[in-house]
Amino acid sequence: MRGRDEACAWKGTHVLAVAQFDDAMLLDLFDVARRMKAMVAAKGKSDVLRGKVLANVFYEPSTRTMCSFDAAMKRLGGDVLSVSESSSSAKKGETIEDTVRCLQCYCDVLVLRHPQVGTAAKAAAAAQKPVLNAGDGVGEHPTQALLALSLSLSLSLSLSLSLSLSLSLSLSLSLSLSLSLSLSLALSLALSLALSLTLSLTLTLTRRCSTCSPSSTRAPRPRRAPVRST
């Protein structure tokens, strides 16, 4: 149910700049990306976009961005049309608006890479299908920025978990050391008490033995009879 709600919320949306995303949208986007990553790891691909077509329109060389969109669409069960400047009517002077109006008849979403700033916005204004900005010169590259943000959040989370684990281990070690010291102190007190009791018992027995010794008990001297004078 949640996946359908998310799909409805994003349906028909152009992706032109990072400023169009608020915190809630970013959380939803990263959650979907996490689930898609888990799906690819488990199954390799899905048919969620079966029957859908993506147009990859790249007017300047690209490897990572173009291949990432191509692979993503195919892993989700869709198909891809690849268009370059050399293979399009732009060589004959066709405007980007006319190119988009033509291509949207053959696809469900367009990915545009162009060397001129603002071209993605022009294409989106002319299109009735969603346009994803894959870089417009020195302007914006929102998908790359979102990827960098996602990686940063993942690293921050991993670091936080590592620090939390380290603190937990340190606390456990401190408690263990404290317990060991307490046990050692208790053992020392017990030994000291045992020694004290042993010494006290020894002294008591010694005194009793001295009191009961035959050499210490002398018989009374007999009285001499008085000598009477005559």
Side-chain angles (χ1 to χ4, degrees):
M1 187 68 180
R2 183 182 177 186
R4 292 181 180 179
D5 293 340
E6 291 170 351
C8 292
W10 287 81
K11 187 175 181 179
T13 303
H14 300 299
V15 177
L16 304 177
V18 293
Q20 72 186 76
F21 295 91
D22 58 22
D23 292 346
M25 294 173 73
L26 289 174
L27 290 176
D28 286 341
L29 177 63
F30 294 153
D31 181 58
V32 173
R34 178 186 56 78
R35 283 185 277 145
M36 292 297 100
K37 183 178 180 180
M39 179 273 297
V40 170
K43 301 179 181 179
K45 66 179 304 183
S46 170
D47 61 353
V48 67
L49 293 181
R50 183 174 57 184
K52 301 297 182 181
V53 178
L54 177 146
N56 245 355
V57 187
F58 278 72
Y59 279 28
E60 64 178 3
S62 172
T63 300
R64 288 176 294 276
T65 304
M66 182 178 67
C67 291
S68 64
F69 278 105
D70 190 295
M73 190 64 179
K74 290 177 179 177
R75 284 190 181 277
L76 294 176
D79 297 303
V80 178
L81 294 175
S82 296
V83 180
S84 65
E85 184 179 22
S86 61
S87 64
S88 73
S89 294
K91 292 294 261 184
K92 300 185 293 185
E94 184 177 78
T95 64
I96 190 65
E97 291 88 349
D98 288 337
T99 299
V100 167
R101 292 188 187 100
C102 176
L103 288 175
Q104 70 181 2
C105 298
Y106 314 127
C107 68
D108 301 282
V109 60
L110 297 96
V111 176
L112 178 62
R113 178 73 167 265
H114 201 281
Q116 294 181 1
V117 177
T119 304
K122 292 180 181 180
Q128 295 179 352
K129 302 288 179 66
V131 174
L132 308 182
N133 182 7
D136 58 346
V138 295
E140 291 217 33
H141 196 333
T143 56
Q144 186 175 16
L146 292 171
L147 174 61
L149 178 59
S150 176
L151 291 174
S152 297
L153 290 174
S154 298
L155 290 174
S156 298
L157 179 60
S158 298
L159 180 60
S160 298
L161 290 175
S162 297
L163 289 175
S164 177
L165 180 60
S166 298
L167 289 174
S168 298
L169 290 174
S170 298
L171 179 60
S172 299
L173 180 60
S174 298
L175 291 175
S176 298
L177 290 174
S178 177
L179 180 60
S180 298
L181 290 174
S182 299
L183 290 174
S184 298
L185 180 60
L187 181 60
S188 298
L189 290 174
L191 289 174
S192 177
L193 180 60
L195 289 174
S196 299
L197 291 174
T198 302
L199 180 60
S200 176
L201 180 61
T202 302
L203 291 175
T204 302
L205 291 175
T206 301
R207 288 174 182 173
R208 287 182 179 178
C209 290
S210 299
T211 304
C212 298
S213 175
S215 59
S216 61
T217 306
R218 297 181 179 179
R221 294 180 178 179
R223 294 182 178 180
R224 295 181 179 181
V227 178
R228 295 179 182 181
S229 57
T230 57

